[in-house]
Amino acid sequence: MTSDAHLNELGEFLKARRAELSPRTVGLPDSGGPRRVPGLRREEVAQLSGISTDRYTRLEQGRASVPTPVLAALVRVLHLDDDQRDHLFALAAGDECAPRRRPAQKVQPQLRRLLDELTATPALILGRHMDILAWNALSAALLTDFERVPEKKRNYARLVFTDPGFRELYLDWRTIARSCVAHLRVEAAKCPGDPGLAALVGELSVADADFRQWWAGRPVVGLRVGTKRLRHPVAGDLSLDWDSLSSTADPQQQLVIMTPEPGTPSHDGLRFLASWTADPYQRARDATA
């Protein structure tokens, strides 16, 4: 049975998607006059979906479950992409998730061994809510000295939104930051009442206006692979492709790996950073130069 929390989140997701569309987008005549709210009206979505306005209103208010045929109609009417479609179906089918604080995650041994083998590739192990569970030396040299970050504050999304060094490091900071919001939104769909996630979202909403705005927009983007563009003080400009491996024992743990394309300036820059990291005497000479 779908939980009330999932139904409420489903309703908010429908409202956010409805606000993004115009009558012209869905083939309705546009009078050109002012609208009380942006996007489509509830009655317009209901009409196009083949359901009553009252029933659609109940969906947005989280007071009704959604059968599969109606879900399919809403996917079509709201022009949802594949990731948004999956998100909608996950919310509609979501089981009750106990809103309780869970014990701290322990790094899976297999992921730890893989991480330790990666000496020439920046890599992190991320847990639920994008907590940073482990890292290798090159990722610390690339991003920040994670050891200096208090353990309870070691969270990738928190660093992206609150650490000035992270903001300056990423040439495409807004893209990276929005992807963090989307990732947390996907987690929220799985367990809307999670107190740990709620605390993180509350903290970041207060700390950063962009986070607050993007979170309210309920973005959903599948994070499978991507590219990060950085301007590093030692390695220079870098373009690094990232991918991740999930632990079978704990799917909420992922080994995130960043690699440059061979033969590129990014490849050379990362190799230099790796050698610089491995040579403490070189760092001392650079510091006194």
Side-chain angles (χ1 to χ4, degrees):
M1 181 178 178
T2 306
S3 70
D4 290 343
H6 282 92
L7 289 178
N8 289 334
E9 182 59 30
L10 185 149
E12 294 298 328
F13 179 69
L14 291 176
K15 283 192 280 187
R17 299 289 74 79
R18 174 168 63 87
E20 295 177 341
L21 298 176
S22 67
R24 183 175 301 175
T25 303
V26 297
L28 292 175
D30 190 350
S31 63
R35 290 189 160 226
R36 186 169 58 88
V37 294
L40 296 178
R41 299 186 178 97
R42 285 176 173 172
E43 54 266 29
E44 292 170 334
V45 176
Q47 175 189 347
L48 293 169
S49 302
I51 61 176
S52 68
T53 300
D54 177 69
R55 187 177 187 185
Y56 180 75
T57 299
R58 288 170 61 83
L59 295 182
E60 283 201 356
Q61 293 174 344
R63 296 190 293 120
S65 58
V66 194
T68 300
V70 174
L71 288 174
L74 291 172
V75 169
R76 171 180 52 81
V77 171
L78 297 176
H79 291 208
L80 302 186
D81 61 26
D82 289 345
D83 292 322
Q84 292 170 333
R85 175 194 179 280
D86 292 345
H87 186 70
L88 178 67
F89 273 79
L91 287 171
D95 297 324
E96 183 67 54
C97 176
R100 57 184 175 82
R101 293 196 177 276
R102 290 173 283 182
Q105 287 176 293
K106 296 182 179 180
V107 177
Q108 288 297 314
Q110 296 88 339
L111 286 188
R112 167 67 76 177
R113 287 195 291 269
L114 278 173
L115 180 67
D116 292 342
E117 290 293 327
L118 297 171
T119 57
T121 302
L124 300 166
I125 296 177
L126 299 183
R128 55 179 175 258
H129 316 333
M130 305 189 78
D131 286 343
I132 300 168
L133 305 181
W135 59 92
N136 63 7
L138 191 51
S139 68
L142 178 68
L143 300 175
T144 191
D145 184 356
F146 297 109
E147 193 66 42
R148 294 188 179 183
V149 180
E151 185 175 356
K152 292 185 178 180
K153 297 293 185 180
R154 287 181 197 148
N155 177 278
Y156 188 82
R158 179 184 284 112
L159 290 172
V160 166
F161 280 98
T162 65
D163 188 295
F166 257 58
R167 192 178 290 256
E168 293 177 5
L169 180 66
Y170 285 112
L171 293 172
D172 51 353
W173 179 86
R174 291 179 69 84
T175 299
I176 299 298
R178 288 180 70 95
S179 72
C180 289
V181 177
H183 180 89
L184 295 178
R185 263 294 169 202
V186 171
E187 287 204 27
K190 298 174 183 176
C191 191
D194 188 302
L197 181 56
L200 177 64
V201 169
E203 175 190 342
L204 298 184
S205 296
V206 171
D208 190 273
D210 284 330
F211 181 92
R212 189 163 57 250
Q213 176 185 350
W214 296 335
W215 184 260
R218 286 171 164 73
V220 177
V221 179
L223 301 177
R224 300 175 183 91
V225 295
T227 301
K228 299 180 187 292
R229 297 170 53 245
L230 306 95
R231 176 158 292 163
H232 194 273
V234 174
D237 288 0
L238 301 171
S239 179
L240 302 177
D241 300 322
W242 67 267
D243 203 339
S244 61
L245 301 171
S246 296
S247 168
T248 304
D250 182 359
Q252 290 186 311
Q253 290 190 34
Q254 293 187 324
L255 176 65
V256 180
I257 304 168
M258 292 165 274
T259 58
E261 184 177 347
T264 62
S266 295
H267 182 262
D268 296 338
L270 195 60
R271 288 184 64 183
F272 174 75
L273 181 61
S275 63
W276 184 85
T277 302
D279 184 0
Y281 299 105
Q282 180 63 47
R283 295 202 300 271
R285 287 194 294 270
D286 291 343
T288 58

